[in-house]
Amino acid sequence: MKKSISIFSLNWGYSIVMVFVLFAGFIGTMVYFMTAEKIDLVREDYYQKELEFQTQIRKISNTANLKTKIAMTYLPESNELNIFFPTRVVNGEVKFFRPSNKKMDVDIPLKLLKEYPLHLSTQKLDKGYWKVQVIWSDGSREYFSEQELFI
């Protein structure tokens, strides 16, 4: 009579070795997939930016002391972002910051604005989560505002 061999009929030594081999294979697979995942740092010059943060705090404080706040309105039907500034804009910058992929970030420089509100097209931006960072100067003080945008 022929004996059938199953995994459960092996002796304890083989079963323990097989469990260790399967576990090592599982761990090896997890390590492979985790190291293959691309992770972008928020900023590569993190430490340099940390040193410059005091000027950023001053800009945020200046913005908080304004009587009227900056307002951003997103119009999805026309793919447009309207920014209403509480002060005159001599120069500045609008940054569309994509936390998941720094290659998608977009910087738009601002010169002396003569038309309010500022109309920006979002048509070329991918759908998803964005942070809109606005840095501007009225000639004497600098300001900073950041808001979330879902396109």
Side-chain angles (χ1 to χ4, degrees):
M1 187 170 222
K2 221 178 197 186
K3 279 187 168 181
S4 65
I5 299 176
S6 78
I7 192 168
F8 299 109
S9 67
L10 298 175
N11 69 26
W12 279 97
Y14 289 121
S15 299
I16 290 173
V17 168
M18 190 171 294
V19 166
F20 280 129
V21 167
L22 289 173
F23 181 72
F26 170 75
I27 294 297
T29 303
M30 293 302 294
V31 167
Y32 171 76
F33 283 117
M34 288 182 184
T35 57
E37 183 70 28
K38 183 172 176 4
I39 300 172
D40 283 333
L41 293 174
V42 175
R43 297 195 69 95
E44 289 187 14
D45 56 347
Y46 173 78
Y47 292 107
Q48 179 64 27
K49 290 297 179 184
E50 182 68 25
L51 296 174
E52 298 170 3
F53 194 64
Q54 185 57 42
T55 56
Q56 181 72 5
I57 291 172
R58 190 172 358 99
K59 291 176 188 177
I60 293 170
S61 175
N62 289 342
T63 306
N65 291 333
L66 290 171
K67 291 178 184 174
T68 345
K69 303 301 178 198
I70 187 170
M72 295 183 209
T73 306
Y74 176 61
L75 306 171
E77 60 278 352
S78 60
N79 288 324
E80 186 174 80
L81 177 68
N82 295 325
I83 302 176
F84 302 88
F85 290 94
T87 65
R88 164 179 103 118
V89 176
V90 174
N91 61 27
E93 182 176 34
V94 176
K95 295 181 180 186
F96 289 94
F97 174 69
R98 184 71 178 244
S100 63
N101 187 349
K102 71 178 179 178
K103 293 178 183 175
M104 298 172 76
D105 292 356
V106 177
D107 295 345
I108 301 169
L110 301 176
K111 301 289 184 218
L112 181 62
L113 290 183
K114 296 180 178 149
E115 180 182 314
Y116 291 93
L118 175 64
H119 304 284
L120 297 174
S121 174
T122 59
Q123 205 163 15
K124 293 183 181 178
L125 299 176
D126 286 352
K127 298 216 179 295
Y129 174 72
W130 293 86
K131 286 187 177 183
V132 181
Q133 299 173 336
V134 183
I135 303 162
W136 80 97
S137 170
D138 63 3
S140 62
R141 289 194 173 126
E142 290 186 322
Y143 304 93
F144 174 84
S145 178
E146 179 178 78
Q147 293 184 14
E148 296 176 342
L149 175 66
F150 293 95
I151 297 178

